[in-house]
Amino acid sequence: MEIDTPITTIDNIEPSGSESQPNKRGRRTSIVWEHFTLADVAPDQKRAYCNECNKSYAYSTGTKVSGTSHLKRHIDRKKCKNNCQKNKEAPYSTTCGSGVASEPPKRHKRSNHGLAGVSFDQDLCNNEIARMIIQHEYPLHIVEHHGFNKFIQTLQPQFNMISFNTIERNCVALYLREKKNLLNLISGIRGRVNLTLDLRTANQTLGYVFLRGHFIDNDWNLHHPILSVVMVPFPDSEDSFNQSILACLADWHLEGRVLTLALDQSFSNESLMGSFKISLSINNPEVLKGQLISGNCYARVLSRLAQDALCAMRETIERVRESVKFVKTSESHEEKFIELKQQLQVPSTKDLLIDNQTKWNTTYFMLLAACELKEVFACLDTYDPGYRINLPMGEWKRVEILCVYLKYLFDAANIVTAQPFPTANVFFSEASKLQVELAHAAMSQDPFISNLIHPLREKFDKYWRESCLILAAAVVMDPRFKMKLVEFTFSKALPLAAPSINEANEAMTKTEMSQEGSFEASFLPAEDGVSDFEIYISEVTNQQFKSELDQYLEDSLLTRVPEIDVLSWWKLNGSQYPILSRMASDILSIPVSTLSADSVFDTEFRNMDNYRSSLRPATLEALICAQDWCHGGSLPLPPPLAASNANVKMEI
């Protein structure tokens, strides 16, 4: 290795912080100093920076000098020329004295950091920043924040920080690239797509409709990506709403491929709902003229029931909340509470917590924990004079009863939060159990229980009547249950009421009048001498096979196991039921809730924040959809190297 020996000693090198060549007393004779400048990067540590491309190389650490051979190679092999060409395309400013090595000398064979030979790639870094912003919901303006820029320059002085407009284009480009992949996936599936619509509003009274697709691919994987985020300037306008949604369906090539659609009561305009059903049914006859368009979101129905129950006991709950606050907001109060609990030897497995009133499940957890410690609260006023909230044991008993029924609602709603996203067959059992429990409680001899639950039972019965058909169809596709669970459930939960004698006679008379002569006529020979009945008997007699559905239902039930991957079962047995398996893929992907897992227990409708609503509609859609595809696992973002070679055309 060639060592560049100065005329004077190392101690005569210029003071720390100098960006110029050493003075005449410490002049260096190597030709490389016509192309490089020394700079201090740390105490007793200097690096050599190329004057043309600003690439840095190690030079000295303390009294150890690296020499200049590696600097000459940088010039001789024309590496600098290639970097300079890239700099002409993307000029940038540098900050000396704040960088670390981006490329260790290649001759250091003993280096084991895995960085040897790795060159700096500006495009790759740009893509990673876009990915970071999408995944973590950082504002696009982060690229203009001084602190972020300083941090990046410290890590990599060669990085040219990009502008707001550039990072916006990069994020949209990443979204468009993944949208193409997702579109290809949807176009290739054999089955249909089920949709959910969720509405959010902004302070500007704008509406944002989240259109989410639910489908099973040809390899029996369930997907539920957000397909579009549509800004609707006038959410209550039928034309504006319909045109926006139908345009999205056309964009995703879903005309004629929609099976079901679930909305929420946030679309409260009945005229709008009716108009939308008609518009959607024209190109999608499978939705049965709107009969498979549901206006009930499973999670929101349960949330409204929970809020009604809590509201019925709001005064008592507020006193429990104040009691919990008294303990949890003061260390001295909490210490006395724990001491009293130990003295009373009250067994408790739950910790007290103050609820978040925008999430009803946290209120349930607060009440549940407080009930376990009710004896401690009952004696706390004598142990801690500052506590003056007196809740009688009778009130605690009512809170315990409330918690029993909140648990039914919590268990029913908690299914929607499961990961991976649950298939439709899991909802029938829990929903039917809740329907039975509410029915029994509404008829309780205890007036408190019946008064508390009767309004809840009426609301849930309405949901059950409108949704049980789809839920039942889904559970039939579960080989553990098939029709048996449906038959058992309806015999217990929905016994048919026998009609009165007058109603029966009236119905019979109308039937006889409407069908007079038609029954006998079916036995009479037609002009060709063959009656309809004879044709039917001939067809039935000559039928040599059973339908796939008949065969499936007659086959033995799968051994009952708590957990089963129903999609894997159909993947393995699909060849035995080729037609029925396609029906199963459509039905098992039917969604019953319009909400994402993190919104299941919300007590308020979510609004679009001011920052996001200030973005361009195309940018907002790109950020939300791409993040959902990444976190939801429906379509993982590509490996980093794929992005630098992508050629995506877009307009913003």
Side-chain angles (χ1 to χ4, degrees):
M1 178 177 68
E2 177 183 351
I3 302 294
D4 178 51
T5 306
I7 296 176
T8 58
T9 63
I10 294 294
D11 294 336
N12 291 329
I13 294 178
E14 263 198 58
S16 174
S18 173
E19 298 183 5
S20 62
Q21 282 294 102
N23 58 24
K24 292 182 179 180
R25 293 180 57 194
R27 182 174 181 178
R28 302 179 181 278
T29 58
S30 175
I31 193 174
V32 300
W33 302 117
E34 296 179 8
H35 304 277
F36 284 87
T37 300
L38 283 177
D40 293 336
V41 296
D44 299 327
Q45 182 178 354
K46 292 181 180 294
R47 298 191 66 80
Y49 285 82
C50 176
N51 296 334
E52 298 295 332
C53 68
N54 202 47
K55 184 179 287 292
S56 68
Y57 292 89
Y59 183 72
S60 68
T61 303
T63 59
K64 183 179 179 180
V65 180
S66 299
T68 59
S69 297
H70 58 304
L71 306 183
K72 288 183 177 180
R73 286 195 298 272
H74 174 75
I75 302 171
D76 295 340
R77 296 178 183 178
K78 299 183 180 180
K79 291 183 179 180
C80 183
K81 180 179 179 180
N82 295 334
N83 285 318
C84 288
Q85 181 64 30
K86 182 182 294 185
N87 294 339
K88 291 178 182 179
E89 298 175 0
Y92 57 89
S93 60
T94 61
T95 303
C96 295
S98 60
V100 294
S102 61
E103 182 179 351
K106 291 185 178 180
R107 293 184 62 184
H108 289 186
K109 300 296 184 181
R110 59 180 177 272
S111 174
N112 59 358
H113 297 293
L115 298 177
V118 177
S119 60
F120 171 70
D121 190 329
Q122 176 77 35
D123 293 336
L124 181 60
C125 292
N126 292 350
N127 181 74
E128 287 304 316
I129 290 182
R131 187 190 307 274
M132 175 193 73
I133 288 174
I134 289 172
Q135 290 182 353
H136 303 291
E137 298 186 36
Y138 294 139
L140 294 172
H141 288 285
I142 192 174
V143 297
E144 297 178 346
H145 293 175
H146 175 73
F148 182 71
N149 289 341
K150 187 68 175 177
F151 172 69
I152 295 298
Q153 285 296 319
T154 302
L155 291 178
Q156 176 52 267
Q158 296 183 62
F159 181 73
N160 176 28
M161 185 53 68
I162 54 183
S163 66
F164 173 90
N165 290 335
T166 300
I167 194 62
E168 183 180 31
R169 286 194 297 269
N170 289 352
C171 288
V172 175
L174 192 153
Y175 154 75
L176 291 176
R177 186 168 56 251
E178 293 311 312
K179 179 179 179 180
K180 181 179 180 180
N181 294 336
L182 181 56
L183 185 59
N184 291 337
L185 176 64
I186 295 176
S187 299
I189 65 173
R190 293 185 294 267
R192 297 182 178 89
V193 177
N194 300 287
L195 301 176
T196 56
L197 294 183
D198 190 30
L199 178 66
R200 297 187 188 181
T201 57
N203 292 338
Q204 298 88 347
T205 67
L206 297 173
Y208 293 88
V209 178
F210 285 60
L211 178 68
R212 188 183 290 273
H214 304 256
F215 61 92
I216 293 174
D217 65 24
N218 297 336
D219 201 34
W220 288 92
N221 297 308
L222 177 63
H223 301 266
H224 49 94
I226 295 177
L227 300 180
S228 298
V229 179
V230 187
M231 186 188 73
V232 183
F234 308 100
D236 292 332
S237 170
E238 297 178 14
D239 292 338
S240 175
F241 178 81
N242 287 349
Q243 291 175 5
S244 299
I245 302 303
L246 294 178
C248 290
L249 298 183
D251 185 39
W252 285 93
H253 304 168
L254 293 178
E255 303 97 328
R257 303 190 64 194
V258 176
L259 178 62
T260 66
L261 175 66
L263 299 90
D264 185 70
Q265 288 185 353
S266 52
F267 299 89
S268 56
N269 188 322
E270 294 184 3
S271 176
L272 185 150
M273 282 283 292
S275 175
F276 183 64
K277 287 182 178 181
I278 295 173
S279 300
L280 185 63
S281 299
I282 292 175
N283 293 324
N284 295 274
E286 289 82 3
V287 300
L288 302 179
K289 297 183 179 180
Q291 294 182 47
L292 294 183
I293 297 179
S294 171
N296 286 313
C297 168
Y298 177 78
R300 283 218 169 106
V301 168
L302 298 176
S303 180
R304 283 189 284 267
L305 296 183
Q307 291 179 73
D308 289 347
L310 294 171
C311 184
M313 294 185 61
R314 57 182 175 274
E315 294 181 1
T316 300
I317 293 173
E318 184 58 33
R319 294 170 71 184
V320 174
R321 184 179 292 115
E322 292 300 319
S323 297
V324 174
K325 284 183 179 180
F326 177 85
V327 174
K328 298 299 293 182
T329 56
S330 169
E331 291 185 4
S332 62
H333 292 168
E334 188 167 16
E335 289 175 358
K336 292 181 179 180
F337 187 85
I338 294 174
E339 291 174 1
L340 180 59
K341 173 188 173 184
Q342 293 173 347
Q343 290 181 16
L344 296 175
Q345 298 182 347
V346 175
S348 174
T349 59
K350 297 178 174 59
D351 296 327
L352 287 177
L353 56 86
I354 303 173
D355 64 329
N356 173 6
Q357 296 183 51
T358 65
K359 298 278 189 179
W360 67 264
N361 61 321
T362 65
T363 305
Y364 163 61
F365 295 147
M366 178 189 72
L367 297 177
L368 201 61
C371 282
E372 285 194 356
L373 298 164
K374 59 182 181 295
E375 290 88 355
V376 185
F377 281 111
C379 301
L380 187 58
D381 58 343
T382 60
Y383 195 78
D384 189 341
Y387 180 74
R388 299 185 177 88
I389 305 172
N390 184 20
L391 199 65
M393 279 298 172
E395 289 298 299
W396 281 112
K397 181 63 176 177
R398 293 187 172 187
V399 174
E400 289 178 333
I401 294 173
L402 173 64
C403 287
V404 169
Y405 293 99
L406 286 178
K407 185 180 188 308
Y408 289 127
L409 298 175
F410 173 78
D411 290 343
N414 200 44
I415 300 176
V416 189
T417 66
Q419 295 296 329
F421 203 79
T423 47
N425 59 295
V426 304
F427 292 95
F428 180 84
S429 178
E430 202 67 44
S432 61
K433 181 174 70 174
L434 177 60
Q435 199 271 343
V436 170
E437 293 296 341
L438 294 178
H440 289 168
M443 296 183 291
S444 172
Q445 298 300 316
D446 186 331
F448 170 74
I449 296 178
S450 60
N451 291 335
L452 176 68
I453 303 301
H454 183 73
L456 277 59
R457 184 254 179 118
E458 289 184 341
K459 291 183 178 180
F460 192 76
D461 278 354
K462 181 177 182 296
Y463 168 79
W464 178 253
R465 288 192 300 269
E466 295 177 355
S467 306
C468 64
L469 176 61
I470 289 179
L471 298 180
V475 82
V476 169
M477 296 302 168
D478 190 325
R480 298 170 298 172
F481 305 116
K482 301 183 181 179
M483 280 296 297
K484 302 303 181 183
L485 181 60
V486 177
E487 294 167 355
F488 172 79
T489 299
F490 284 130
S491 68
K492 297 293 183 181
L494 291 176
L496 295 176
S500 65
I501 296 177
N502 292 335
E503 291 175 339
N505 291 337
E506 182 179 354
M508 182 63 71
T509 301
K510 291 181 178 179
T511 302
E512 291 175 350
M513 293 176 61
S514 63
Q515 296 183 348
E516 183 176 358
S518 61
F519 182 71
E520 294 181 357
S522 65
F523 287 91
L524 297 177
E527 294 182 358
D528 58 0
V530 181
S531 68
D532 293 340
F533 178 72
E534 290 173 326
I535 294 175
Y536 169 75
I537 292 298
S538 176
E539 291 176 349
V540 173
T541 303
N542 294 331
Q543 187 175 7
Q544 300 297 322
F545 61 92
K546 297 179 181 179
S547 69
E548 288 184 17
L549 179 60
D550 290 335
Q551 184 64 49
Y552 168 76
L553 295 177
E554 291 179 5
D555 288 344
S556 301
L557 297 179
L558 189 67
T559 302
R560 182 78 184 278
V561 291
E563 298 293 335
I564 180 178
D565 187 345
V566 68
L567 297 183
S568 295
W569 188 91
W570 278 102
K571 181 178 180 180
L572 293 173
N573 296 273
S575 58
Q576 185 177 354
Y577 311 104
I579 299 176
L580 188 61
S581 63
R582 293 185 62 178
M583 294 175 58
S585 69
D586 292 343
I587 294 173
L588 290 173
S589 62
I590 292 177
V592 301
S593 175
T594 66
L595 300 180
S596 57
D598 60 342
S599 303
V600 168
F601 298 102
D602 286 357
T603 58
E604 301 174 354
F605 287 102
R606 288 195 173 186
N607 293 329
M608 193 71 68
D609 59 68
N610 291 335
Y611 164 70
R612 286 199 163 190
S613 60
S614 68
L615 297 173
R616 302 177 187 180
T619 303
L620 175 65
E621 182 178 49
L623 294 175
I624 292 177
C625 290
Q627 183 201 40
D628 177 77
W629 300 342
C630 175
H631 286 305
S634 293
L635 193 66
L637 292 177
L641 293 178
S644 59
N645 298 324
N647 182 19
V648 180
K649 296 181 180 180
M650 58 184 169
E651 294 182 1
I652 297 182

